[in-house]
Amino acid sequence: MGEDYKEVLCKMNKVDPWSVSEVKDYGKLLEEFGMSSIEEYKKRFDSFHYIRRGIIFGHRDLGKIVKALDGKKPFAMMTGLMPSGRFHLGHKMVADEIIWFQSLGAETFICAADVESYLMRDISFENARETALEEYLANYIALGLSEKKLHFWFQSDYINPYYRLRDMCSKRVTFNELKAIYGELTPGKITSALTQAADILHPQLDVFGGPKPTVVPVGADQDPHIRLTRDIASRLSADRAGCRDFDCIPPSATYHKFMSGLTGGKMSSSDPKSYIALREDPASASKKVLSAKTGGRETFEEQKKKGGQPESCSVYELYLYHLVKDDLELSKIYHECGGGEIMCGECKKRCAKMMSDLLSEHQRKIPSALKRAQKLIGKT
Ligand code: TRP
Ligand code: SF4
């Protein structure tokens, strides 16, 4: 285990989901936190490239969702967005997952975490609203999110039973447990964590039809919240002399890997060179691809002889995650690269073209998506 990884692990373990960046070894992550590998579901869900390719690498309790699917029983999909910065390719992963679960029939719950962005990122409620609408919701809809069976809300502005549930959650966890999960605590962290627990559990409130399996698709950094919420759920629904606080099923989750940044390192909203935003000018996105960090060799000759290294190439990652859905085509690129048949210059040009086509096509859909988004949050 490299130092780097230890550091990250330590962060994920003891500190908080508000500062995690990169993870080097996802296998170790599964072990350390007791997530399950996605392996056993690769066949079942092989039509979804995130699962087929192991981009979604882990889960908790996904079996409950599979069971609901098999029994044609209702289930919910719940996730949240932090309305800060621009909506980039890393965020697109969550959107694609939401849309996929929706296509399987999930009742869909999406929360704009404006309380969290206010407390943890110092973003005003007004700003958060604007970002949630123009960056997140508009892009979600342009990517294919449907308004059918969709609930979208702001943490600061929702229904009473949700707030009551948050208060109930606070009774079922101790200060020391929170410290063990999040490290150094602040009142803001505590409120954010408990609000997120209410986000995740509230689709099971009576007003939404009572207990049902709920899956939460997230990046691996959100696992501390999932673990906390699962514990709270079992305590809330524990039988105390024939009486329960709240009858609910501990949530399931899927975990995806983080995308690398185009400059090496992590893809981060605070570094525009590291990401491609979905509403960014296609020409500027092309430029970023053309100057991205690759797995290429020092010299042309060396690359011809030894081949490139797609495993550590941010351009290849763009193909793998977003641009090439066909496995045969992807494997062709992989082998061309590894066999030294293609050089990075040419490969980046091809990728830049694909990326700019994807963005142009996507952005054509934005105006009507924005209108639908405004309507959805009652701002017409
Ligand atoms: N904390 C999440 C983030 O930083 C956002 C979020 C809020 C969320 N509530 C949630 C994610 C519920 C999943 C489920 O992105
Ligand atoms: Fe990456 Fe393409 Fe270069 Fe291979 S040839 S290292 S995939 S840019």
Side-chain angles (χ1 to χ4, degrees), residues 139-208:
N139 279 309
Y140 283 178
I141 291 176
L143 286 167
L145 179 74
S146 148
E147 289 94 334
K148 255 211 306 221
K149 292 210 281 182
L150 171 65
H151 308 265
F152 182 87
W153 74 99
F154 288 86
Q155 284 178 328
S156 67
D157 183 16
Y158 201 27
I159 54 175
N160 268 333
Y162 162 82
Y163 296 107
R164 195 177 308 130
L165 178 58
R166 177 172 65 184
D167 298 343
M168 286 159 68
C169 289
S170 72
K171 188 174 175 176
R172 297 293 167 218
V173 63
T174 69
F175 196 72
N176 281 337
E177 284 172 323
L178 289 176
K179 260 212 305 238
I181 297 176
Y182 299 108
E184 192 72 32
L185 290 175
T186 62
K189 279 190 194 177
I190 300 178
T191 301
S192 298
L194 292 170
T195 306
Q196 184 150 343
D199 289 335
I200 296 173
L201 296 179
H202 93 283
Q204 307 190 56
L205 286 168
D206 282 346
V207 281
F208 297 111

Side-chain angles (χ1 to χ4, degrees), residues 81 83 112-119 123 125 128-129 154-156:
L81 57 98
D114 62 342
V115 168
E116 185 181 3
S117 59
Y118 170 74
L119 294 172
I123 292 170
F125 287 103
R129 246 184 154 41
F154 288 86
Q155 284 178 328
S156 67

Side-chain angles (χ1 to χ4, degrees), residues 306-320:
K306 295 190 188 151
Q309 296 159 292
E311 304 81 8
S312 47
C313 174
S314 69
V315 173
Y316 185 75
E317 217 173 288
L318 294 176
Y319 294 130
L320 177 75

Side-chain angles (χ1 to χ4, degrees), residues 234-253:
S234 15
R235 293 170 192 169
L236 283 171
S237 45
D239 192 324
R240 291 180 195 81
C243 214
R244 290 185 170 87
D245 283 349
F246 173 48
D247 196 11
C248 63
I249 300 168
S252 310

Side-chain angles (χ1 to χ4, degrees), residues 78-82 111 113 116 155 196 199-200 216 218 222:
M78 187 284 133
T79 192
L81 57 98
M82 177 88 98
C111 137
E116 185 181 3
Q155 284 178 328
Q196 184 150 343
D199 289 335
I200 296 173
V216 188
V218 280
Q222 296 294 301

Side-chain angles (χ1 to χ4, degrees), residues 8 19 25 57 86 88 108 115 119 132 143 157 182 188 209 212 243 269 297 311 358 366 374:
V8 170
S19 61
D25 183 339
F57 68 97
R86 301 194 68 187
H88 59 57
T108 301
V115 168
L119 294 172
L143 286 167
D157 183 16
Y182 299 108
K212 57 170 99 63
C243 214
S269 305
R297 305 286 180 178
E311 304 81 8
L358 179 111
I366 287 288
Q374 278 163 339

Side-chain angles (χ1 to χ4, degrees), residues 294-296 303 309 313 315-316 337 342-344 347-348:
T294 71
Q303 184 145 351
Q309 296 159 292
C313 174
V315 173
Y316 185 75
C337 167
I342 189 168
M343 299 295 116
C344 293
C347 185
K348 284 197 282 192

